[in-house]
Amino acid sequence: MKCPAPDPARWAGSLLLCMAALWPLVQPQVAWAQAVQAPVAQPADASDEPADADAAVPRGRTTPRAPAAPRFEIDLQAPDEVREFLLRHIELQRFRLLRNLDANELTRLLAAAPANLRELLATLGHFSPLVEVIGPPALPQAADTAASNDTTSSRPMGTVTIRVSPGPITQVATVNVSFVGDIATAPEAADQREAIQYEARRIQGLPFSQSDWDRTKDAALRALIARRYPAGRVQNSLADIDADQRQANLYIELDSGPAMRMGEVVVDGAQRYEKTTVERLVRLSGVVPGSDYDLAQLQAAQQRLIESGYYDSAFVFVEPSMDGETLPVKVQLRESLRQKLVLGVGGSTDSGARLSIEHTHHSLPGIGWRAVSALKLERVDQLASTDWSSPPSNDGWRWIAGGRLLREQDDFNITTSQRLRAGQSQDGIEYDRSFYLQYDRASVFNEATQTLRTAEANSSITANYAWTRRRFDDPISPNAGHGLAVELGVGYTLGSTRLPFARTQARWLGYWPLGGLAPPPEPKPGEARVVNTPGNRTSLGRLALRLEGGAVLAKRSAAIPDTQLFLTGGDATVRGYGLRDIGVRQSDGSVLPGRYKGVVSLEWQRPIFNANGRSPVESVLFIDGGAVANRAGDLKPLWGVGTGVRYNSPVGPLQLDLGYGLETRRWRLHLNVGFTF
């Protein structure tokens, strides 16, 4: 546009005419500049409502985009066992909410859908399915309209109908595992080869699924690299499917590579405590330079380091080496503080509320021993103790020393005792041993008569040996196995009359699984099947039998401290009775310890099943019996029966029992946590 050149007389009028002509061209640029310079809109608070319609959307602020409506629906007609899996994984699901999906693109997706569905069904073992995909009735017309107008409608395009008949499922006929590398010919690897092949063949005869096949290959590889061959790999694998015969023949070829051995131990992070302690603990777990690589031994060494108390965390692993056959063992540590104070509040059905204070010093100045001192205050018992122990020697033995002050109340009797102990102990994975000298002193005060039971406190000194063996399939929640603990001691009383005596005590606990293995829950489509293994729980649970016995052999006139005699009853011994309620009954109704003890307990622990299979909760029926007397012929058991529940938590069983004492005709609630032997 060309503006006329104004004369002075017409200057104002011409200027107005030019501005009027140019304004429509300038206005969009001004608006764009205002939009660019406007600040980013912040979300308004839900309570801040606009005063009018114009204020609802200020200039420069955009309205939130509404969620996309489905461009099409899917009507999948398939058996229930595969329908959810197909709906979750079918490729069409990814495009339902795509805003710019047009009819032509949907047509291409529908053409590819049958192949996608057949691939998904093949992962479940269905290799001859019938699949039919029918597009929306108006889809061809919509495709022509979109092609001619080059536009996309936001309206739904209709429903896609899919009909699926999975057909017969394929069964796993054979699983063949072959080996190359050192494991193929090494005689010492024969057991490892057989174990891998046996585990892989567990899916023979089961329906084929890709998840089971992947799990089997992973399990075979883990078993290979767990011992001797950490560089092992799956060299080849093949699933040969015969759709006509409905059979799958599976092949795995494992390459072990060379056999590896443990190298020297390299410690990183040892500052407060001696490096030699780490090396000894690792060696005691079986990790010795020159021994075969074993992942289980590395894990055992890691667990032993953590349980030693010196370290908050420990990682034990091997590193690649230049020679390819010897692997240095790397130990990374995060040390515990040199001193630790723990305050605790708790309780039990035996002793009531409890307050405890525990102080630990991991390295006493001058000697480097650990000292654990504790003070426990309960409703009936009060304890002050200290236990000292040296770092372990090369063969696992350590020096021990300790002392305790104990006050126990049973009915009218208050027993005050002192104990000193010194010796050596060895804690192993399966065996524990110790031998020690022990001094005991005890006196009993009767609150009813306000007198001491003996004119002077009874005391003794003994030489003792203790031995424990554990052979349980699981150290936290055992299902099978047994444990045995034996204590032997000989000594003298130290009163006005010194007489010899002997003391022995034994405990035995055994578990027997009942029935066959509990069937694993049926896997959901796409999930790996849980294959029964020897460690799985049985359908009828297990029986637990516990036996205890003790005897003190001495002349009747020997003044033996009460802490060397026996009482029983309570949560962990005879349920239905209180703590230490079973002993030698006196004429005033009180109970005193005796020289002979016998305890028996039989318990049926049966699993509770739910819709997902076996649950971690078990029901329990039990019968307990216990007897204490001063002569073996006077042992007369008191029986308790009851029921309860067990919850198998990761830290051990949580036990809640309701016991009925047949002698007292009273019910008692018993609570216990964890498994120890």
Side-chain angles (χ1 to χ4, degrees), residues 294-315:
D294 193 325
L295 178 60
Q297 290 180 349
L298 293 176
Q299 293 172 339
Q302 181 172 294
Q303 186 67 23
R304 183 184 281 262
L305 286 169
I306 295 174
E307 291 178 350
S308 70
Y310 292 108
Y311 312 102
D312 290 333
S313 65
F315 299 95

Side-chain angles (χ1 to χ4, degrees), residues 214-516:
D214 291 340
R215 184 201 62 81
T216 300
K217 291 184 287 185
D218 291 342
L221 179 59
R222 285 196 301 270
L224 173 66
I225 65 177
R227 295 177 58 198
R228 298 188 183 90
Y229 308 106
R233 63 189 181 94
V234 177
Q235 180 163 285
N236 289 300
S237 64
L238 173 66
D240 185 9
I241 307 299
D242 187 341
D244 295 333
Q245 298 296 324
R246 308 174 197 167
Q247 291 183 348
N249 297 292
L250 309 180
Y251 302 89
I252 307 173
E253 185 178 49
L254 298 175
D255 181 5
S256 68
M260 302 288 187
R261 296 185 177 277
M262 302 286 195
E264 296 295 328
V265 177
V266 180
V267 181
D268 181 19
Q271 297 177 354
R272 296 189 183 99
Y273 313 116
E274 294 183 1
K275 178 181 174 181
T276 55
T277 300
V278 181
E279 296 171 345
R280 289 171 183 170
L281 292 173
V282 170
R283 186 167 52 252
L284 290 171
S285 301
V287 180
V288 180
S291 62
D292 289 335
Y293 168 84
D294 193 325
L295 178 60
Q297 290 180 349
L298 293 176
Q299 293 172 339
Q302 181 172 294
Q303 186 67 23
R304 183 184 281 262
L305 286 169
I306 295 174
E307 291 178 350
S308 70
Y310 292 108
Y311 312 102
D312 290 333
S313 65
F315 299 95
V316 183
F317 56 94
V318 296
E319 289 187 335
S321 63
M322 298 301 295
D323 61 15
E325 295 184 0
T326 302
L327 302 173
V329 179
K330 188 69 176 293
V331 180
Q332 291 184 346
L333 303 169
R334 183 162 62 89
E335 295 179 318
S336 301
L337 295 176
R338 195 177 298 274
Q339 297 188 61
K340 180 175 64 175
L341 182 66
V342 178
L343 305 179
V345 177
S348 69
T349 50
D350 272 343
S351 303
R354 177 175 63 252
L355 173 66
S356 63
I357 303 174
E358 183 176 280
H359 175 264
T360 302
H361 197 304
H362 287 295
S363 183
L364 291 172
I367 59 175
W369 287 28
R370 175 192 290 133
V372 180
S373 303
L375 176 64
K376 296 181 181 180
L377 304 176
E378 298 179 337
R379 177 173 53 85
V380 295
D381 295 344
Q382 294 82 44
L383 170 68
S385 65
T386 182
D387 292 290
W388 295 16
S389 60
S390 70
S393 61
N394 290 330
D395 54 3
W397 286 92
R398 66 177 73 212
W399 290 98
I400 58 173
R404 78 174 192 187
L405 302 174
L406 177 63
R407 182 182 185 275
E408 301 173 307
Q409 182 168 359
D410 302 297
D411 294 329
F412 307 117
N413 295 319
I414 299 176
T415 303
T416 303
S417 62
Q418 302 84 38
R419 172 174 292 175
L420 296 175
R421 176 183 293 183
Q424 283 190 298
S425 70
Q426 183 188 51
D427 299 332
I429 299 175
E430 185 175 333
Y431 296 93
D432 292 344
R433 294 180 292 176
S434 63
F435 57 88
Y436 52 89
L437 289 175
Q438 181 169 295
Y439 168 80
D440 286 274
R441 183 178 184 274
S443 62
V444 179
F445 178 77
N446 189 296
E447 285 189 317
T449 61
Q450 294 294 305
T451 58
L452 291 171
R453 187 164 62 89
T454 57
E456 61 179 357
N458 296 331
S459 58
S460 68
I461 187 168
T462 55
N464 302 271
Y465 177 79
W467 177 87
T468 302
R469 184 184 70 182
R470 307 175 189 86
R471 289 189 176 178
F472 299 106
D473 61 343
D474 188 329
I476 297 177
S477 297
N479 187 59
H482 62 272
L484 175 64
V486 178
E487 298 178 18
L488 299 173
V490 293
Y492 272 87
T493 61
L494 298 179
S496 56
T497 303
R498 299 187 177 184
L499 296 173
F501 71 96
R503 183 182 188 272
T504 181
Q505 185 172 213
R507 296 179 295 121
W508 186 87
L509 175 64
Y511 289 95
W512 291 274
L514 300 178

Side-chain angles (χ1 to χ4, degrees), residues 528-583:
R529 185 183 304 272
V530 179
V531 180
N532 277 330
T533 60
N536 281 0
R537 304 287 180 169
T538 52
S539 58
L540 296 179
R542 59 195 172 277
L543 285 178
L545 177 62
R546 174 168 46 88
L547 302 174
E548 296 182 23
V552 173
L553 307 177
K555 292 183 177 181
R556 296 188 62 181
S557 59
I560 299 172
D562 283 31
T563 50
Q564 290 279 40
L565 303 177
F566 304 104
L567 288 167
T568 190
D571 297 341
T573 53
V574 183
R575 287 159 290 187
Y577 299 86
L579 178 65
R580 302 189 298 269
D581 272 0
I582 300 177

Side-chain angles (χ1 to χ4, degrees), residues 575-577 581 641 659-668:
R575 287 159 290 187
Y577 299 86
D581 272 0
V641 297
Y660 180 74
L662 299 183
E663 179 72 16
T664 60
R665 298 185 179 182
R666 292 178 57 188
W667 292 95
R668 294 188 69 95

